[in-house]
Amino acid sequence: MAASCSVKVLFEQEGVFRHPSSDEDGIEHDLLISGSLRIVDKDAEIIVEYRPLEDTVDPSNMLCAGKDSSSVMEWDQCSGERSHQLLETQQSYETEWDMVNAVSFKKKTCTNGDSSLNHSHERSRWALAFSVSELRSITVKEEGWTFLTFRLRETSSSLPALHFHQGGSTDFLDNLRRFALLSESPDDDTCLLVSSPNKALSQSFENLLDDNNFGLVQQKFRKDPYVTTLGGFSKVTNYIYDAFRGTEEQHQRPPEEVADVLGEVIPGLEINQQEEPGFEVITRIDLGTRPQVTRREPLSAEDWSKHQDPEGRMTNITHLKQVIFKGGLCHAVRKEAWKFLLGYFPWESTLEERKSLQRAKTDEYFRMKLQWKSVSEEQERRNSKLRDYRSLIEKDVNRTDRTNRFYEGIDNPGLVLLHDILMTYCMYDFDLGYVQGMSDLLSPILYVMENEVDAFWCFVSFMEQMHHNFEEQMQGMKTQLIQLSTLLRLLDLAFWNYLESQDSGYLYFCFRWLLIRFKRELSFQDVLRLWEVMWTGLPCQNFHLLVCCAILDSEKQKIMEENYGFNEILKHINELSMKLDIEEILQKAEGICLQIKSCKDLPQSISAILGFDTEVSGSAPTDYESAPALRPPPRADACSNGHLRETSSHNSCKVAFIS
């Protein structure tokens, strides 16, 4: 007896039609095939299947009302109760459906006395089923309703189109995005290219940020640590999957194949496999000895006050930033100093000017807050985006830093402020709204500010730097991962080659480090120290990438000596959380920066990543008088990750290394 098949229905949409062509054998003119479209999990494989209903439908028996008409065009004689149920179940809020969804069907009269015998054959004739992993593309078109055409990888022809007369195509595609990346084709805006994982259901992004779940759930990790860890990114971007991983028997794919597949998984990601025109060829570079650097004590409140003139202007700002970079701030200073570091307060402003600014910003904040506070329940029922934001924020707030005394306990006022600021940010930035992970960036700021308005505007400034990390296409994350790989390859080619041999050269295990700036890797107090150091803009651009390099430099010996494979590397990096020494990391990262900056003939691409001049001198100054005091540039032009928002060119990150 065959083993039973485990089937779980993940999504189902009724009222989906096939329009058989009249040239098919035995097909009546204008015949419609009504059925249900489902996404199911069959023994850990995600399947899309279309199942016809018991009877076919003739369009002459459809009841529909045009959007510009109040009259019903033709009724099917069915009971009032049944008609009412149909109207309720067929409601659709899909914008592309431009008709009132009032459709009921009359059973097609069967002229064949053997209909019961032919029933199974008829149903199987119109049924469709395919694995998501087999799907190459989906074409989305409209003709008064939306219809989808599927194309599989192993065939040049398309499957019959499925027509969503009653809406639901958006819901179907949204659910499909849980298991595959759907990206718009550069050649056809009606075509969605599909990339899917080898394994089934990826874990949601909330697992990535949930201390109780993230990557350390041992049973899941032992079974498939790659999906457990990286699958968690899917809810944010739906693009990081193990599509470039081979089968269990296939230990490593050729580099060009990995590049091709990863290029599909991450649209716009370009990976150089050979020397090409326009690429900078880098041979092995002797970086010289890494200089030893020291850290200092945090800046005290007394020293901070010495940098203010009688009117409250900050003085000797360059030196002040150097001191903050070398030692951070004592906690008593943070509430005021962070406002300057984040750009909420201009460094050259007087005390009176800052008071005036705060009054104006307070009015502006509460006007935005009133916008969502004044939305009635009835209005919110018609605003799915606001409902989704509120639901996600409430969920995240209730699990953000709950072990911190500022946020612990039931009915904690800190949680209320966290919620209100994030909801107001949705009014400030309609396009971005709220994405999971943003609560992690706000929490330390609110903890320091202890003020709703000041925390909001500091968070706005921080998000100017981090915005690209949370955008749907996540161009910032893609660029940073390329830049990080480029830096690591320069610093330690042997280690990079080892990671590459384990399919880890793309450094996706660093994703969470970059996404929320090490928030889940360090203790809360160490996060405060790291962030204020990075906000100085010293000693170079993209210093956070050198922090990543410093951590990896400390762990490379264990990884290589223990001959860690792909899964072991992921597990090891995940388990570093809360075990890192921030002062040691900052010390090493600064040393790496000085080591690179002192290198003669430094490749231009490396200089571009770190913001050095094209011509780098051989000297390595220990102060940062000459280093640019970086402020996050305007979001319309660039972000702190060192790449342009609108006009970025990947060429600055493309490097061909020759060992």
Side-chain angles (χ1 to χ4, degrees), residues 198 226 242-247 250-251 253 502-503 566-567:
N198 294 334
Y226 188 78
D242 55 338
F244 67 96
R245 288 284 287 163
T247 62
Q250 180 182 1
H251 295 295
R253 293 184 177 187
Q502 304 300 326
D503 280 350
F566 186 88
N567 294 342

Side-chain angles (χ1 to χ4, degrees), residues 102-143:
V103 183
S104 58
F105 309 110
K106 186 185 294 181
K107 286 190 176 182
K108 180 176 175 65
T109 304
C110 184
T111 58
N112 188 339
D114 296 330
S115 62
S116 61
L117 299 177
N118 295 331
H119 172 68
S120 177
H121 168 73
E122 286 299 317
R123 293 197 66 192
S124 62
R125 181 180 183 182
W126 308 120
L128 296 174
F130 53 85
S131 171
V132 171
S133 62
E134 300 173 348
L135 191 56
R136 171 184 292 178
S137 66
I138 305 173
T139 301
V140 184
K141 293 187 177 181
E142 296 185 23
E143 53 178 37

Side-chain angles (χ1 to χ4, degrees), residues 300-313:
S300 66
E302 181 181 0
D303 289 336
W304 172 263
S305 62
K306 290 179 180 178
H307 285 79
Q308 289 184 329
D309 69 12
E311 292 185 321
R313 295 184 185 87

Side-chain angles (χ1 to χ4, degrees), residues 581-627:
D581 184 330
I582 186 58
E583 292 299 325
E584 178 183 324
I585 292 170
L586 288 172
Q587 194 170 348
K588 180 172 288 191
E590 182 184 355
I592 291 173
C593 177
L594 296 176
Q595 181 185 24
I596 295 176
K597 192 169 186 178
S598 65
C599 175
K600 295 181 179 180
D601 302 321
L602 188 67
Q604 193 279 332
S605 55
I606 301 296
S607 296
I609 292 172
L610 299 179
F612 297 153
D613 293 334
T614 304
E615 297 180 2
V616 181
S617 64
S619 61
T622 55
D623 62 18
Y624 303 105
E625 294 288 349
S626 59

